[in-house]
Amino acid sequence: MIRILCSTFCLLSLLAMQPALAQLAQALRIEIASDPNESESFDVTPLAERGVLMTIRTGGFYDNTPVTLHFKKYDINLKSLWQVAFKQDLKFRPLLTYNTDQYAYHLFREYDTDRYQFIRLHLEDGAIDLFESSLIDQFDVRQFKVLGSQAYISGYHHGRPVVMAFSFFDHSTKVLPGLYVNRMEISSLEVDEIHREVNVLVHSLKRHCKFSIRTYNYDCKLLRIKDFDGAENSLITGKLLPVNENESLLVGNYSTDCTPYSQGIYVTRIHHGETGSSQVTESVNDIQYIEFSQLQNFFNYLKPNRQQKLLARALKKKEEGKEYKFHYRLLVHDLQPTPDGLTLVAEVYYPQYRGSTLGYGTYMRGADRYEGFRYTHAFICGFDKQGKLLWDNCFPIKELLSKDLTEMVQVSQQGDQIVLAYPNDGEITTEVIQGNKVLKGTEKFKLQTNAENEKVTFSAQDNLMAWYGQHFLAYGFQKIAPSQNYANQRQVFYLNKLTYREEEPTGKSTNATTRKNDEPER
C-alpha cells in the first residue's frame, strides 16, 4: 500500500510540474458575402489590442468600373467600430501598402505616367488624407516605407536602383544619393524609428557579390556606408534590429559561391557612427557564420535516417577539407525583439515545376509548367543582444504550395513558449516550442462555420496572422453549403478569431523528438 501511495503521489507531482499547454480554438467569426463574378479583393491588417482593419477593394480596370476602397475597423471582439469608403480614380492602379501604429498608407500610380498618389488613413477614426506628386517616369517600384511624415519608395529606373523620399508636409521629393549604380540591387529598405534613419541594404551583381549598408538621416543625407567587401562569404540578405542607442544587430543568410542558395545564417553587430557633416565609411567587423549543419534542429523536418545521411555527408566533406554545398532558398522574416535579444524566423522553399511527357515517354525539360513555391519547413533561432545564438528549432511544413512567395508561418510569443502556425486548405497547423524543445508536436485545426448544419466545401487564399496575446486571425475565401444540400452553395470572405486556450496536463509525453516529413533536400 505504501508503494501505491508513493507512486500516486509521484505521478501527481510530475503532472503538476508539467507546463500547461494550449489548444487552438475558434473564438469568433464574421462572414462577408463574396460574388465570384465581381472584381473585388480583401485585405486584413491586425492592429494588436486596438482591433483589426479590413480593406475591401471593389471595381477595377478590366471591367472598367470605378474603384472603391471600403475601410472597416473592428474591435477585438470583431464588432464594427467605423467604416469609410474612398472612391479611387480609375486611371490610378494600386502598388503597395505600409502600416504604422497611427496610419495605414496606400501607394497608387497613374498608368504610364510619373504621377503617384498616397492615401493616408487614420486608424483611430477613419479620416483620409490624399497626397499626389510626380516622382520619376519608368520607375519599377519594389518597396514602400514611411518614417515620420516622409515616405520612401525604392525601385529601379533603367535597371539602376533608386530610392526616393516624399514629404507629406511640404510635398517635396528627394532622391537618396549614391545608389544609381549599374549591376546593383536593393536587398532591403528599412526605417529605424529610434534613430530616425533610413537604411538601404544593397548587394552587387558583380563577381564578388559586394554587400553594404547605406544609412541616411531624415533629411536624406548619406551618413555612413558599411561595407562588407572583406567578408569571408557572400551575404545574400540582411535584417536590422536596434538593440540599444548605439548598436544594432544585422542578421541574414549567406552563400559561399555568390548564388541565391543559402549555406547558413550570419549575425554581426553594427555600431552607429557619428552623424556629423562628413559621411563615414566603415569596413567589415567580426561576422559569426552559422552553417545549417551547426544548428541543432534545422534538419528535423526530414526522417531520422535521411537526416543522419545528410549530416554524415556534410561531415565527410569537412574531414576532406572541403565544404558541403547546401541548396536552400530562404524567405527571412523581419527580426522580432525579445527581452533577451531577438528572434529570427525564416521559411525554406523552392520553386516547383511540373514536367510534361511528350510521346513515347520522352521527358521535355522545356515543357515544364510552373506551379508555385513549395515550402518544406521553417526554422526559428533565438539570439541575445550581443548576437550569440541561444537556441534553434524547426517547424515542418507539409503540402503547402503558394503561387506567391509570402510569409506563411506566424509566430506568437506566449511567455517563454512560442506558438508556430501556418494555414493550408481551410486548416491551421500548429506547433508549440520552448527554446530548442518541442512541447507539443504538429497538430491540425479545421476552421468551422457559425452553424452546425453547414459544411465548408472549398477553401482558397487562406491566410493567418498573429494578432495579440494568444490570439490569431485566419481569413480567406470559402464556399459553404448546407449539410443536406451541397448544390445550394454560397461564397464568403471569412475572418476568424482563433485563441490558444490552456488545457490541463494529461500525463502523456508531448515531446516530439522525431519527424515524419520527408521532403526533398533543397
Side-chain angles (χ1 to χ4, degrees):
M1 179 63 69
I2 294 177
R3 288 181 180 178
I4 295 175
L5 290 174
C6 180
S7 300
T8 304
F9 174 77
C10 293
L11 177 60
L12 292 173
S13 300
L14 288 172
L15 290 175
M17 293 172 61
Q18 286 185 348
L21 299 178
Q23 186 174 14
L24 196 62
Q26 187 163 304
L28 297 166
R29 175 183 171 99
I30 59 175
E31 296 177 356
I32 299 176
S34 175
D35 188 345
N37 298 317
E38 295 291 334
S39 176
E40 59 183 6
S41 63
F42 294 75
D43 186 59
V44 172
T45 304
L47 305 174
E49 295 183 352
R50 293 175 296 144
V52 58
L53 175 69
M54 183 185 297
T55 305
I56 307 173
R57 182 178 184 269
T58 59
F61 175 78
Y62 296 106
D63 54 11
N64 202 31
T65 58
V67 175
T68 303
L69 295 176
H70 305 268
F71 300 105
K72 299 182 179 182
K73 185 180 178 181
Y74 300 87
D75 64 12
I76 58 175
N77 296 314
L78 299 185
K79 300 295 184 182
S80 179
L81 296 176
W82 54 256
Q83 58 181 335
V84 64
F86 173 80
K87 289 188 177 181
Q88 176 61 274
D89 193 323
L90 190 61
K91 62 186 178 182
F92 283 93
R93 63 183 178 92
L95 292 181
L96 296 169
T97 62
Y98 185 73
N99 304 304
T100 65
D101 289 339
Q102 291 181 292
Y103 305 103
Y105 295 89
H106 289 251
L107 175 62
F108 295 83
R109 178 180 181 177
E110 186 177 353
Y111 285 91
D112 298 326
T113 73
D114 63 351
R115 297 293 300 174
Y116 289 77
Q117 190 178 78
F118 302 84
I119 293 177
R120 183 172 66 186
L121 174 72
H122 294 245
L123 296 174
E124 185 64 31
D125 56 9
I128 294 177
D129 300 318
L130 182 64
F131 307 89
E132 290 190 11
S133 177
S134 294
L135 298 182
I136 56 176
D137 199 9
Q138 300 181 32
F139 189 19
D140 181 14
V141 175
R142 299 295 181 87
Q143 297 179 77
F144 169 49
K145 299 286 180 70
V146 176
L147 177 62
S149 62
Q150 201 151 251
Y152 298 88
I153 307 98
S154 73
Y156 298 89
H157 180 254
H158 298 310
R160 296 182 180 183
V162 175
V163 178
M164 298 200 69
F166 170 73
S167 171
F168 297 116
F169 177 71
D170 60 10
H171 296 193
S172 62
T173 59
K174 295 180 182 179
V175 177
L176 273 59
L179 294 170
Y180 197 63
V181 180
N182 282 325
R183 298 186 61 78
M184 186 168 74
E185 287 189 352
I186 297 176
S187 173
S188 179
L189 172 67
E190 303 196 20
V191 293
D192 184 345
E193 295 184 356
I194 295 178
H195 302 95
R196 288 179 65 82
E197 295 176 347
V198 178
N199 293 290
V200 184
L201 284 64
V202 299
H203 66 273
S204 70
L205 301 178
K206 298 178 182 179
R207 182 177 181 181
H208 298 293
C209 293
K210 295 181 179 180
F211 188 90
S212 65
I213 303 174
R214 298 168 188 243
T215 303
Y216 301 83
N217 63 12
Y218 194 70
D219 295 326
C220 304
K221 182 178 180 180
L222 180 61
L223 297 179
R224 56 188 177 271
I225 301 174
K226 182 76 173 180
D227 279 326
F228 292 84
D229 291 354
E232 178 183 350
N233 296 297
S234 302
L235 309 190
I236 302 175
T237 67
K239 298 288 185 178
L240 278 168
L241 182 72
V243 291
N244 55 53
E245 293 184 358
N246 303 312
E247 199 172 51
S248 295
L249 286 179
L250 175 67
V251 185
N253 52 322
Y254 73 91
S255 71
T256 57
D257 50 6
C258 202
T259 69
Y261 298 111
S262 300
Q263 189 74 8
I265 57 176
Y266 71 90
V267 58
T268 185
R269 297 160 69 177
I270 304 294
H271 301 279
H272 296 282
E274 297 294 331
T275 58
S277 58
S278 59
Q279 73 180 51
V280 179
T281 301
E282 302 176 354
S283 59
V284 64
N285 60 352
D286 292 335
I287 301 178
Q288 178 189 3
Y289 296 101
I290 306 169
E291 192 179 89
F292 292 132
S293 60
Q294 295 176 293
L295 295 175
Q296 183 176 349
N297 298 292
F298 181 86
F299 300 100
N300 282 359
Y301 74 103
L302 298 170
K303 288 183 178 179
N305 59 336
R306 286 203 62 202
Q307 186 179 156
Q308 293 172 4
K309 289 180 180 179
L310 190 151
L311 292 174
R313 289 199 301 267
L315 180 60
K316 184 178 179 181
K317 282 283 186 180
K318 284 192 174 183
E319 291 174 347
E320 295 173 351
K322 302 176 183 178
E323 195 164 30
Y324 184 84
K325 295 295 180 68
F326 296 103
H327 289 83
Y328 291 102
R329 294 177 183 266
L330 301 188
L331 177 61
V332 182
H333 295 208
D334 289 337
L335 305 176
Q336 298 299 316
T338 64
D340 297 327
L342 64 88
T343 299
L344 166 72
V345 179
E347 296 171 73
V348 183
Y349 70 93
Y350 63 91
Q352 178 167 303
Y353 297 85
R354 175 175 292 180
S356 299
T357 303
L358 304 178
Y360 305 104
T362 303
Y363 177 73
M364 301 294 292
R365 180 65 177 86
D368 282 3
R369 185 174 73 252
Y370 171 72
E371 292 189 314
F373 296 99
R374 175 71 67 181
Y375 296 75
T376 61
H377 65 294
F379 68 97
I380 179 170
C381 301
F383 294 88
D384 66 15
K385 294 184 178 181
Q386 285 70 46
K388 179 183 177 182
L389 178 66
L390 301 175
W391 54 266
D392 71 89
N393 219 313
C394 172
F395 184 27
I397 302 176
K398 288 189 176 183
E399 304 302 325
L400 180 56
L401 183 69
S402 174
K403 292 294 183 183
D404 301 314
L405 183 60
T406 58
E407 296 178 3
M408 302 301 292
V409 173
Q410 294 294 298
V411 179
S412 176
Q413 184 85 39
Q414 300 180 19
D416 61 348
Q417 300 179 12
I418 295 177
V419 179
L420 304 169
Y422 69 87
N424 189 28
D425 196 22
E427 292 185 329
I428 308 297
T429 301
T430 64
E431 180 176 276
V432 183
I433 66 172
Q434 184 182 53
N436 56 14
K437 299 177 182 178
V438 176
L439 298 182
K440 197 168 190 180
T442 55
E443 291 185 330
K444 289 188 176 182
F445 171 81
K446 193 168 185 64
L447 298 174
Q448 306 294 328
T449 65
N450 286 327
E452 293 183 359
N453 61 344
E454 290 184 331
K455 183 175 182 180
V456 177
T457 60
F458 177 77
S459 185
Q461 299 183 36
D462 301 307
N463 288 274
L464 183 73
M465 288 187 175
W467 194 3
Y468 70 96
Q470 70 271 35
H471 306 289
F472 291 85
L473 283 171
Y475 60 96
F477 292 92
Q478 288 178 341
K479 288 184 179 180
I480 301 172
S483 299
Q484 305 301 325
N485 184 11
Y486 284 5
N488 187 20
Q489 297 189 92
R490 57 189 175 90
Q491 180 168 302
V492 301
F493 177 83
Y494 69 90
L495 178 64
N496 285 24
K497 179 181 181 180
L498 307 178
T499 302
Y500 245 84
R501 294 175 179 170
E502 291 187 356
E503 62 182 12
E504 294 299 325
T506 62
K508 296 180 181 180
S509 174
T510 59
N511 289 336
T513 56
T514 61
R515 308 288 187 181
K516 300 295 184 181
N517 198 1
D518 192 15
E519 299 289 349
E521 177 198 345
R522 294 281 167 179

